[in-house]
Amino acid sequence: MSQLPAILEIGHPTLRKTAQPVDPLDPALPDLIDRMINSVLEANGMGLAAPQIGESKRVVIVASRPNARYPHAPDMPLTALINPKITPLSDEIELGFEGCLSIPGIRGRVPRHAQIRLSYQQVGSNDWVHVDWSGFLARVAQHEIDHLDGLLWLDRIEDNREIVSEAQHFAADT
Ligand code: NI
């Protein structure tokens, strides 16, 4: 197996760039998605955006399933989102804990839209898929799409007291 790409951490300039739209028919896309899937599974992440492995492209993997880092995550098939966009479906905002593979060791309670419509393309097709997500999945989608716009969850925090260490978070969780 080829070596996994390194996951960039906060401070790396690529994480602060606006990522470029992608042609779903680009023959290089399946390889990028394979590398992203390997990385997110290895790291026990819930999602990964291409800029996190140094590719400033609008590609996201959503990998929600229960694991040691997120024991209550919903189980769903791995999904690659090409050029994803979000429309909020209500004014409701929820606070919920998030972590990020690019910000190791801490988590925070981040305000996000509770219900969204997610639109994205799939590999090999110019068609658009539309799904309505709420709760945890809506949060993951908003977190990952923020990465495509050079934003990290810390930028969304309204009160620094909402930031905790990962060890403290798990201590409080159990
Ligand atoms: Ni992240």
Side-chain angles (χ1 to χ4, degrees), residues 44-56:
N44 274 333
M46 289 292 110
L48 190 75
Q52 293 181 275
I53 59 165
E55 300 267 2
S56 197

Side-chain angles (χ1 to χ4, degrees), residues 82-87 116-121 128 145:
I82 313 299
N83 302 317
K85 299 173 171 56
I86 275 171
T87 312
I116 58 162
R117 175 150 303 156
L118 170 67
S119 302
Y120 63 96
Q121 292 173 294
W128 288 86
I145 291 170

Side-chain angles (χ1 to χ4, degrees), residues 50-157:
Q52 293 181 275
I53 59 165
E55 300 267 2
S56 197
K57 295 177 177 169
R58 301 190 81 82
V59 179
V60 159
I61 303 295
V62 175
S64 176
R65 73 276 178 230
N67 68 19
R69 292 182 75 236
Y70 293 91
H72 308 298
D75 209 354
M76 65 171 279
L78 282 168
T79 306
L81 314 177
I82 313 299
N83 302 317
K85 299 173 171 56
I86 275 171
T87 312
L89 292 177
S90 75
D91 292 333
E92 188 186 346
I93 301 289
E94 283 177 348
L95 273 180
F97 274 104
E98 295 179 23
C100 181
L101 297 172
S102 295
I103 312 175
I106 58 170
R107 293 201 183 182
R109 291 215 307 159
V110 184
R112 298 286 187 189
H113 297 289
Q115 287 99 22
I116 58 162
R117 175 150 303 156
L118 170 67
S119 302
Y120 63 96
Q121 292 173 294
Q122 295 173 293
V123 180
S125 167
N126 282 314
D127 294 344
W128 288 86
V129 177
H130 308 278
V131 291
D132 293 349
W133 282 1
S134 60
F136 186 83
L137 289 179
R139 178 170 298 281
V140 172
Q142 287 167 87
H143 175 118
E144 299 306 335
I145 291 170
D146 267 359
H147 276 299
L148 305 183
D149 296 320
L151 293 170
L152 300 169
W153 68 257
L154 280 169
D155 305 325
R156 300 282 189 190
I157 286 281

Side-chain angles (χ1 to χ4, degrees), residues 15-65:
L15 293 174
R16 292 311 195 168
K17 283 167 57 177
T18 301
Q20 295 304 302
V22 169
D23 175 359
L25 306 177
D26 181 344
L29 202 47
D31 177 66
L32 171 63
I33 288 170
D34 276 355
R35 286 185 286 131
M36 291 175 67
I37 287 174
N38 289 338
S39 292
V40 75
L41 293 179
E42 171 74 16
N44 274 333
M46 289 292 110
L48 190 75
Q52 293 181 275
I53 59 165
E55 300 267 2
S56 197
K57 295 177 177 169
R58 301 190 81 82
V59 179
V60 159
I61 303 295
V62 175
S64 176
R65 73 276 178 230

